[in-house]
Amino acid sequence: MALVRSLCETMPAVRKTLWVGRGLAQESLASDTTRVCSYFFRRLRKLQLFALYRRLLRESGPILSTTALRIDLLALYWMAPGVIPPGKVFLYFHWLRPTPRKRAFLERFARRQPNVVIFTTTPSVQAVFRVCGFHNAVLMPYPVTSETPAAAPAPTFRHVLFAGAARRDKGFDHVVSLVEFMAQQSATIPISVQASPDHYEKYDAPTRADLVRLAGLSYKWLTVRPETLTHADYAALFSGGICLQPYSREEFSDRVSGVTLDALIAGAPVITLSRTWIARLVERFDAGIVVEDASPPTLLKAIQHVIDNYTVYHLHARAAGLAEQKERGWKQLSEYLNHGSAIESPR
């Protein structure tokens, strides 16, 4: 929801409707110009998505999916009554794993619907769409929230943190192993683990096993947050923190992480694996530590180094966040969208 919130903040005067999952925290998204519709049921989301696209394609105003996936293209492919006119549909893809089958479908879609605009977070994703015939594939870096912490003395180290959903591709198993190792080493480093479910409000089988393992550990310095946090509570995690992101190289080699950007904006140094988008950003600003493996001894050594030099890494992280904030925003999209509806698929 942070991405949608930042969009609403960027275009406060634009009238828009947000279609979101039932039960999701809507917080203060609704306003005089923003209508929030609790629409998607988790078990029916795909069928509902087809029905919603069918409806919106026949109404006035542009359609935007802020977190588009292949299912969005499938729904548009089958629900559009004809060629979608220019300026009607905008899909923001954060990630795409191309396969021969997916490429063949993308080529068919591009031929049938040449006017759909595709936004992508990275050049590599843009290149896939371009090669498949999407001439309206536009690079739009992942926006950074408009909120900028006020200048203040560098905080002291407070805790190591794992923020966001508990998922195997985000290295949650490595985090649990680290906590187990810290307990064995009689460490006294505070660590906070957000173990909320994914966008579908569920855990995969390996993550459920990791949660059981985490619950069985005896480490007095551990705080577990199993719930989906409010925006304010989530933002507060980063103050005085070291953000642990042992994310999968395969999944995040060129995939943007919103958690990384949130951490840097707050001045929280990041520890991550090499050869990822996150690592390249951290190395560019010396805003944390990039490690070659996610073994507990390696992660603990990196954590201790950042703790010992926390003020320096905090200042580097904050500088990185401010620099990225200047480069990332919704301005490009707002030039496309002057009015209409926004659709958020139920991720």
Side-chain angles (χ1 to χ4, degrees):
M1 295 296 264
L3 192 67
V4 179
R5 183 184 302 105
S6 69
L7 174 64
C8 294
E9 292 170 351
T10 301
M11 297 185 287
V14 176
R15 302 194 68 83
K16 48 199 168 291
T17 300
L18 306 178
W19 301 85
V20 303
R22 291 178 181 267
L24 292 181
Q26 298 173 18
E27 300 180 20
S28 58
L29 289 177
S31 69
D32 291 341
T33 58
T34 302
R35 182 168 67 103
V36 180
C37 292
S38 295
Y39 177 77
F40 294 102
F41 289 99
R42 181 168 62 83
R43 294 182 182 277
L44 301 175
R45 62 188 179 276
K46 291 183 179 180
L47 290 175
Q48 289 181 292
L49 188 63
F50 275 68
L52 183 58
Y53 271 123
R54 185 180 188 279
R55 169 183 171 179
L56 296 181
L57 285 168
R58 288 158 177 78
E59 295 180 355
S60 61
I63 302 168
L64 166 68
S65 175
T66 57
T67 51
L69 296 173
R70 181 170 174 265
I71 187 66
D72 294 88
L73 293 173
L74 284 169
L76 290 167
Y77 188 86
W78 293 111
M79 293 296 102
V83 176
I84 298 172
K88 179 63 178 178
V89 174
F90 304 85
L91 304 178
Y92 194 13
F93 277 83
H94 303 193
W95 172 248
L96 181 70
R97 182 184 294 169
T99 64
R101 183 178 178 182
K102 286 182 181 179
R103 287 179 182 272
F105 170 70
L106 291 178
E107 291 170 359
R108 292 199 306 274
F109 185 98
R111 288 193 296 269
R112 178 180 288 196
Q113 300 295 352
N115 298 319
V116 171
V117 176
I118 303 292
F119 292 113
T120 69
T121 56
T122 62
S124 65
V125 178
Q126 180 192 28
V128 173
F129 281 102
R130 285 284 180 89
V131 168
C132 291
F134 287 82
H135 302 297
N136 291 323
V138 181
L139 178 64
M140 187 173 73
Y142 190 102
V144 173
T145 175
S146 62
E147 297 178 12
T148 303
T156 57
F157 167 72
R158 182 164 66 99
H159 63 178
V160 177
L161 68 101
F162 176 83
R167 298 198 330 238
R168 181 56 64 100
D169 65 333
K170 290 191 172 186
F172 187 72
D173 56 324
H174 298 308
V175 175
V176 176
S177 295
L178 172 65
V179 174
E180 183 176 31
F181 181 72
M182 291 168 70
Q184 294 169 353
Q185 297 296 307
S186 299
T188 58
I189 299 173
I191 181 167
S192 298
V193 177
Q194 185 182 355
S196 54
D198 64 14
H199 294 295
Y200 299 113
E201 295 298 312
K202 63 180 181 179
Y203 302 101
D204 59 24
T207 300
R208 286 196 298 270
D210 290 329
L211 287 167
V212 171
R213 186 159 62 101
L214 182 65
L217 298 178
S218 179
Y219 184 62
K220 64 179 291 186
W221 304 95
L222 170 66
T223 301
V224 179
R225 304 292 299 271
E227 72 278 13
T228 299
L229 301 178
T230 65
H231 174 59
D233 288 343
Y234 169 78
L237 279 179
F238 295 102
S239 177
I242 296 174
C243 188
L244 193 60
Q245 291 191 274
Y247 288 12
S248 163
R249 287 191 178 99
E250 180 182 3
E251 297 292 340
F252 286 87
S253 61
D254 196 28
R255 182 176 178 179
V256 175
S257 165
V259 173
T260 305
L261 298 173
D262 292 337
L264 296 179
I265 279 289
V270 174
I271 294 175
T272 192
L273 281 174
S274 62
R275 301 191 296 282
T276 61
W277 175 89
I278 304 168
R280 292 191 291 274
L281 181 58
V282 169
E283 289 177 327
R284 176 183 168 193
F285 292 95
D286 191 24
I289 299 291
V290 174
V291 296
E292 290 300 320
D293 66 85
S295 66
T298 297
L299 292 177
L300 185 57
K301 180 180 179 180
I303 288 168
Q304 190 60 60
H305 180 75
V306 176
I307 292 174
D308 293 342
N309 301 275
Y310 191 78
T311 298
V312 172
Y313 280 112
H314 162 77
L315 294 174
H316 289 179
R318 183 174 171 83
L322 293 175
E324 288 296 295
Q325 191 172 51
K326 291 179 181 179
E327 298 177 7
R328 299 170 178 274
W330 289 108
K331 180 180 178 181
Q332 190 174 17
L333 175 63
S334 64
E335 293 174 354
Y336 281 87
L337 292 171
N338 295 316
H339 62 281
S341 300
I343 170 175
E344 186 203 5
S345 299
R347 307 300 174 226

